[in-house]
Amino acid sequence: MSALNMRFATAADCAALQQLILEHGPNDWNYLPADGVDLTLQQLAAGTVQGLLAEQEGRLLGIMLFAVSDRYPAYRPADVAADRAGFLIEAVVSRDCAGLGLGSRLLLAVCDALRAQGCGWICADRHQQNTGSAGMMRKAGFAELGSYDDPAHRWSGSRQTTVCGRRL
């Protein structure tokens, strides 16, 4: 089997990314409205959102979409400026690769990319009970920072969102 290739996503990748996200992303824990996915991919094409993808033998296996953004300022360390904070917008790995560590490898690559851009902090959110996402974030050095009721975005289980973060 050939080596895994990780690279920054480009506007030319948007159609394939949308297919991967909408085919492999939806589950009881993820909030993935089609219009929100479309908007994020438009922002990727415009350069205001970044993406790191993993592919092997021309097959797209995973994507992390992220931005320099202070989404949860209350959790950002005081010594990190707002314009030096990153946010993980979306993380989707092909079901064929679930549990193989690809998500945490991609997330660590996102951390490296943001660090190279001068960021000192990244945060992400997930459904409180999403054990797969929790494990991926933990393996990438993220800590749980807090949870809140989020019935507008979480329709199953506890209906809470957990915010996680780490220094870069």
Side-chain angles (χ1 to χ4, degrees):
M1 184 176 260
S2 67
L4 182 71
N5 179 43
M6 286 193 210
R7 66 173 174 84
F8 280 96
T10 68
D13 296 310
C14 284
L17 296 176
Q18 185 168 38
Q19 182 177 348
L20 176 80
I21 292 167
L22 295 178
E23 182 178 336
H24 294 270
N27 61 43
D28 286 344
W29 311 120
N30 289 344
Y31 179 70
L32 285 172
D35 59 341
V37 170
D38 188 52
L39 176 61
T40 302
L41 292 174
Q42 288 174 28
Q43 293 168 331
L44 173 70
T48 57
V49 162
Q50 300 176 65
L52 275 174
L53 59 80
E55 55 192 359
Q56 190 171 48
E57 297 177 355
R59 183 169 161 243
L60 182 60
L61 301 178
I63 181 65
M64 300 270 168
L65 298 169
F66 59 100
V68 175
S69 173
D70 193 20
R71 175 77 180 264
Y72 291 101
Y75 292 114
R76 178 178 34 83
D79 63 334
V80 176
D83 65 351
R84 299 292 178 212
F87 178 67
L88 179 67
I89 300 166
E90 194 55 62
V92 174
V93 171
S94 166
R95 285 186 193 96
D96 300 336
C97 298
L100 300 177
L102 179 58
S104 56
R105 286 177 60 194
L106 270 168
L107 188 50
L108 286 167
V110 165
C111 292
D112 289 344
L114 285 169
R115 184 182 310 107
Q117 295 169 37
C119 289
W121 173 254
I122 182 174
C123 68
D125 59 27
R126 62 171 171 77
H127 191 294
Q128 180 186 43
Q129 295 171 302
N130 186 338
T131 57
S133 184
M136 173 194 71
M137 289 182 192
R138 194 171 34 258
K139 287 178 193 172
F142 283 66
E144 290 186 10
L145 305 171
S147 297
Y148 62 94
D149 290 330
D150 194 4
H153 299 110
R154 311 295 179 190
W155 55 86
S156 63
S158 69
R159 301 185 76 182
Q160 290 201 328
T161 289
T162 295
V163 179
C164 300
R166 67 163 279 191
R167 285 188 177 270
L168 301 174

PDB file of all heavy atoms in Angstrom, residues 105-125:
ATOM      1  N   ARG A 105      -3.640  12.206  13.742  1.00  0.00           N
ATOM      2  CA  ARG A 105      -2.488  12.611  12.913  1.00  0.00           C
ATOM      3  C   ARG A 105      -2.808  13.894  12.148  1.00  0.00           C
ATOM      4  O   ARG A 105      -1.970  14.806  12.079  1.00  0.00           O
ATOM      5  CB  ARG A 105      -2.112  11.498  11.935  1.00  0.00           C
ATOM      6  CG  ARG A 105      -1.424  10.335  12.615  1.00  0.00           C
ATOM      7  CD  ARG A 105      -1.105   9.204  11.657  1.00  0.00           C
ATOM      8  NE  ARG A 105      -0.217   9.622  10.575  1.00  0.00           N
ATOM      9  CZ  ARG A 105      -0.010   8.899   9.487  1.00  0.00           C
ATOM     10  NH1 ARG A 105      -0.600   7.736   9.325  1.00  0.00           N
ATOM     11  NH2 ARG A 105       0.816   9.337   8.553  1.00  0.00           N
ATOM     12  N   LEU A 106      -3.997  13.964  11.570  1.00  0.00           N
ATOM     13  CA  LEU A 106      -4.397  15.185  10.873  1.00  0.00           C
ATOM     14  C   LEU A 106      -4.495  16.361  11.839  1.00  0.00           C
ATOM     15  O   LEU A 106      -4.063  17.466  11.522  1.00  0.00           O
ATOM     16  CB  LEU A 106      -5.753  14.990  10.173  1.00  0.00           C
ATOM     17  CG  LEU A 106      -5.738  14.483   8.754  1.00  0.00           C
ATOM     18  CD1 LEU A 106      -7.143  14.074   8.319  1.00  0.00           C
ATOM     19  CD2 LEU A 106      -5.173  15.528   7.804  1.00  0.00           C
ATOM     20  N   LEU A 107      -5.059  16.123  13.017  1.00  0.00           N
ATOM     21  CA  LEU A 107      -5.207  17.196  13.994  1.00  0.00           C
ATOM     22  C   LEU A 107      -3.851  17.708  14.467  1.00  0.00           C
ATOM     23  O   LEU A 107      -3.658  18.918  14.640  1.00  0.00           O
ATOM     24  CB  LEU A 107      -6.071  16.733  15.168  1.00  0.00           C
ATOM     25  CG  LEU A 107      -6.466  17.789  16.184  1.00  0.00           C
ATOM     26  CD1 LEU A 107      -7.046  19.041  15.543  1.00  0.00           C
ATOM     27  CD2 LEU A 107      -7.449  17.199  17.190  1.00  0.00           C
ATOM     28  N   LEU A 108      -2.904  16.819  14.661  1.00  0.00           N
ATOM     29  CA  LEU A 108      -1.552  17.265  15.019  1.00  0.00           C
ATOM     30  C   LEU A 108      -0.932  18.082  13.889  1.00  0.00           C
ATOM     31  O   LEU A 108      -0.226  19.063  14.140  1.00  0.00           O
ATOM     32  CB  LEU A 108      -0.671  16.062  15.368  1.00  0.00           C
ATOM     33  CG  LEU A 108      -0.962  15.431  16.722  1.00  0.00           C
ATOM     34  CD1 LEU A 108      -0.264  14.068  16.842  1.00  0.00           C
ATOM     35  CD2 LEU A 108      -0.557  16.357  17.860  1.00  0.00           C
ATOM     36  N   ALA A 109      -1.213  17.719  12.642  1.00  0.00           N
ATOM     37  CA  ALA A 109      -0.715  18.494  11.502  1.00  0.00           C
ATOM     38  C   ALA A 109      -1.366  19.876  11.460  1.00  0.00           C
ATOM     39  O   ALA A 109      -0.710  20.874  11.123  1.00  0.00           O
ATOM     40  CB  ALA A 109      -0.956  17.732  10.200  1.00  0.00           C
ATOM     41  N   VAL A 110      -2.643  19.969  11.837  1.00  0.00           N
ATOM     42  CA  VAL A 110      -3.320  21.268  11.931  1.00  0.00           C
ATOM     43  C   VAL A 110      -2.623  22.114  13.004  1.00  0.00           C
ATOM     44  O   VAL A 110      -2.354  23.305  12.798  1.00  0.00           O
ATOM     45  CB  VAL A 110      -4.823  21.095  12.247  1.00  0.00           C
ATOM     46  CG1 VAL A 110      -5.454  22.410  12.696  1.00  0.00           C
ATOM     47  CG2 VAL A 110      -5.567  20.525  11.045  1.00  0.00           C
ATOM     48  N   CYS A 111      -2.327  21.504  14.147  1.00  0.00           N
ATOM     49  CA  CYS A 111      -1.632  22.224  15.224  1.00  0.00           C
ATOM     50  C   CYS A 111      -0.287  22.747  14.737  1.00  0.00           C
ATOM     51  O   CYS A 111       0.076  23.903  14.995  1.00  0.00           O
ATOM     52  CB  CYS A 111      -1.451  21.319  16.438  1.00  0.00           C
ATOM     53  SG  CYS A 111      -2.992  20.897  17.289  1.00  0.00           S
ATOM     54  N   ASP A 112       0.448  21.918  14.008  1.00  0.00           N
ATOM     55  CA  ASP A 112       1.740  22.339  13.466  1.00  0.00           C
ATOM     56  C   ASP A 112       1.566  23.503  12.486  1.00  0.00           C
ATOM     57  O   ASP A 112       2.358  24.453  12.494  1.00  0.00           O
ATOM     58  CB  ASP A 112       2.442  21.180  12.759  1.00  0.00           C
ATOM     59  CG  ASP A 112       2.946  20.116  13.723  1.00  0.00           C
ATOM     60  OD1 ASP A 112       3.043  20.390  14.945  1.00  0.00           O
ATOM     61  OD2 ASP A 112       3.234  18.993  13.253  1.00  0.00           O
ATOM     62  N   ALA A 113       0.553  23.428  11.637  1.00  0.00           N
ATOM     63  CA  ALA A 113       0.313  24.490  10.645  1.00  0.00           C
ATOM     64  C   ALA A 113      -0.025  25.812  11.330  1.00  0.00           C
ATOM     65  O   ALA A 113       0.501  26.866  10.955  1.00  0.00           O
ATOM     66  CB  ALA A 113      -0.805  24.081   9.688  1.00  0.00           C
ATOM     67  N   LEU A 114      -0.894  25.762  12.332  1.00  0.00           N
ATOM     68  CA  LEU A 114      -1.251  26.991  13.045  1.00  0.00           C
ATOM     69  C   LEU A 114      -0.051  27.549  13.819  1.00  0.00           C
ATOM     70  O   LEU A 114       0.151  28.757  13.854  1.00  0.00           O
ATOM     71  CB  LEU A 114      -2.436  26.744  13.976  1.00  0.00           C
ATOM     72  CG  LEU A 114      -3.792  26.614  13.276  1.00  0.00           C
ATOM     73  CD1 LEU A 114      -4.856  26.105  14.245  1.00  0.00           C
ATOM     74  CD2 LEU A 114      -4.215  27.939  12.656  1.00  0.00           C
ATOM     75  N   ARG A 115       0.738  26.671  14.426  1.00  0.00           N
ATOM     76  CA  ARG A 115       1.942  27.117  15.138  1.00  0.00           C
ATOM     77  C   ARG A 115       2.884  27.827  14.162  1.00  0.00           C
ATOM     78  O   ARG A 115       3.446  28.878  14.473  1.00  0.00           O
ATOM     79  CB  ARG A 115       2.649  25.940  15.805  1.00  0.00           C
ATOM     80  CG  ARG A 115       3.850  26.358  16.650  1.00  0.00           C
ATOM     81  CD  ARG A 115       4.604  25.184  17.290  1.00  0.00           C
ATOM     82  NE  ARG A 115       3.750  24.246  17.997  1.00  0.00           N
ATOM     83  CZ  ARG A 115       3.443  23.010  17.563  1.00  0.00           C
ATOM     84  NH1 ARG A 115       3.925  22.553  16.434  1.00  0.00           N
ATOM     85  NH2 ARG A 115       2.676  22.227  18.288  1.00  0.00           N
ATOM     86  N   ALA A 116       3.054  27.269  12.966  1.00  0.00           N
ATOM     87  CA  ALA A 116       3.925  27.872  11.949  1.00  0.00           C
ATOM     88  C   ALA A 116       3.408  29.239  11.503  1.00  0.00           C
ATOM     89  O   ALA A 116       4.181  30.080  11.036  1.00  0.00           O
ATOM     90  CB  ALA A 116       4.056  26.938  10.745  1.00  0.00           C
ATOM     91  N   GLN A 117       2.109  29.479  11.678  1.00  0.00           N
ATOM     92  CA  GLN A 117       1.506  30.766  11.322  1.00  0.00           C
ATOM     93  C   GLN A 117       1.507  31.740  12.501  1.00  0.00           C
ATOM     94  O   GLN A 117       0.925  32.817  12.421  1.00  0.00           O
ATOM     95  CB  GLN A 117       0.069  30.545  10.818  1.00  0.00           C
ATOM     96  CG  GLN A 117       0.011  29.755   9.523  1.00  0.00           C
ATOM     97  CD  GLN A 117      -1.396  29.322   9.166  1.00  0.00           C
ATOM     98  OE1 GLN A 117      -2.353  30.048   9.391  1.00  0.00           O
ATOM     99  NE2 GLN A 117      -1.528  28.133   8.606  1.00  0.00           N
ATOM    100  N   GLY A 118       2.138  31.348  13.597  1.00  0.00           N
ATOM    101  CA  GLY A 118       2.264  32.230  14.749  1.00  0.00           C
ATOM    102  C   GLY A 118       1.183  32.079  15.802  1.00  0.00           C
ATOM    103  O   GLY A 118       1.136  32.868  16.748  1.00  0.00           O
ATOM    104  N   CYS A 119       0.339  31.083  15.666  1.00  0.00           N
ATOM    105  CA  CYS A 119      -0.706  30.873  16.672  1.00  0.00           C
ATOM    106  C   CYS A 119      -0.135  30.156  17.886  1.00  0.00           C
ATOM    107  O   CYS A 119       0.815  29.381  17.779  1.00  0.00           O
ATOM    108  CB  CYS A 119      -1.856  30.069  16.084  1.00  0.00           C
ATOM    109  SG  CYS A 119      -2.840  30.998  14.894  1.00  0.00           S
ATOM    110  N   GLY A 120      -0.728  30.419  19.037  1.00  0.00           N
ATOM    111  CA  GLY A 120      -0.284  29.801  20.274  1.00  0.00           C
ATOM    112  C   GLY A 120      -1.365  28.986  20.959  1.00  0.00           C
ATOM    113  O   GLY A 120      -1.153  28.444  22.042  1.00  0.00           O
ATOM    114  N   TRP A 121      -2.546  28.883  20.323  1.00  0.00           N
ATOM    115  CA  TRP A 121      -3.683  28.230  20.952  1.00  0.00           C
ATOM    116  C   TRP A 121      -4.633  27.734  19.882  1.00  0.00           C
ATOM    117  O   TRP A 121      -4.794  28.363  18.834  1.00  0.00           O
ATOM    118  CB  TRP A 121      -4.415  29.228  21.852  1.00  0.00           C
ATOM    119  CG  TRP A 121      -5.695  28.769  22.459  1.00  0.00           C
ATOM    120  CD1 TRP A 121      -6.961  29.140  22.115  1.00  0.00           C
ATOM    121  CD2 TRP A 121      -5.850  27.853  23.541  1.00  0.00           C
ATOM    122  NE1 TRP A 121      -7.890  28.511  22.903  1.00  0.00           N
ATOM    123  CE2 TRP A 121      -7.227  27.713  23.797  1.00  0.00           C
ATOM    124  CE3 TRP A 121      -4.949  27.138  24.315  1.00  0.00           C
ATOM    125  CZ2 TRP A 121      -7.732  26.885  24.794  1.00  0.00           C
ATOM    126  CZ3 TRP A 121      -5.449  26.305  25.314  1.00  0.00           C
ATOM    127  CH2 TRP A 121      -6.820  26.191  25.553  1.00  0.00           C
ATOM    128  N   ILE A 122      -5.261  26.592  20.123  1.00  0.00           N
ATOM    129  CA  ILE A 122      -6.325  26.084  19.264  1.00  0.00           C
ATOM    130  C   ILE A 122      -7.413  25.505  20.146  1.00  0.00           C
ATOM    131  O   ILE A 122      -7.129  24.912  21.196  1.00  0.00           O
ATOM    132  CB  ILE A 122      -5.822  25.021  18.263  1.00  0.00           C
ATOM    133  CG1 ILE A 122      -6.970  24.559  17.345  1.00  0.00           C
ATOM    134  CG2 ILE A 122      -5.146  23.862  18.967  1.00  0.00           C
ATOM    135  CD1 ILE A 122      -6.550  23.609  16.236  1.00  0.00           C
ATOM    136  N   CYS A 123      -8.645  25.692  19.722  1.00  0.00           N
ATOM    137  CA  CYS A 123      -9.744  25.035  20.415  1.00  0.00           C
ATOM    138  C   CYS A 123     -10.674  24.405  19.380  1.00  0.00           C
ATOM    139  O   CYS A 123     -10.602  24.688  18.182  1.00  0.00           O
ATOM    140  CB  CYS A 123     -10.478  25.974  21.360  1.00  0.00           C
ATOM    141  SG  CYS A 123     -11.393  27.280  20.580  1.00  0.00           S
ATOM    142  N   ALA A 124     -11.495  23.524  19.867  1.00  0.00           N
ATOM    143  CA  ALA A 124     -12.457  22.801  19.042  1.00  0.00           C
ATOM    144  C   ALA A 124     -13.656  22.490  19.915  1.00  0.00           C
ATOM    145  O   ALA A 124     -13.563  22.531  21.144  1.00  0.00           O
ATOM    146  CB  ALA A 124     -11.834  21.508  18.527  1.00  0.00           C
ATOM    147  N   ASP A 125     -14.766  22.172  19.281  1.00  0.00           N
ATOM    148  CA  ASP A 125     -15.910  21.702  20.058  1.00  0.00           C
ATOM    149  C   ASP A 125     -16.440  20.412  19.450  1.00  0.00           C
ATOM    150  O   ASP A 125     -16.163  20.081  18.301  1.00  0.00           O
ATOM    151  CB  ASP A 125     -16.989  22.773  20.212  1.00  0.00           C
ATOM    152  CG  ASP A 125     -17.556  23.283  18.906  1.00  0.00           C
ATOM    153  OD1 ASP A 125     -17.551  22.553  17.894  1.00  0.00           O
ATOM    154  OD2 ASP A 125     -18.029  24.430  18.880  1.00  0.00           O
TER     155      ASP A 125
END
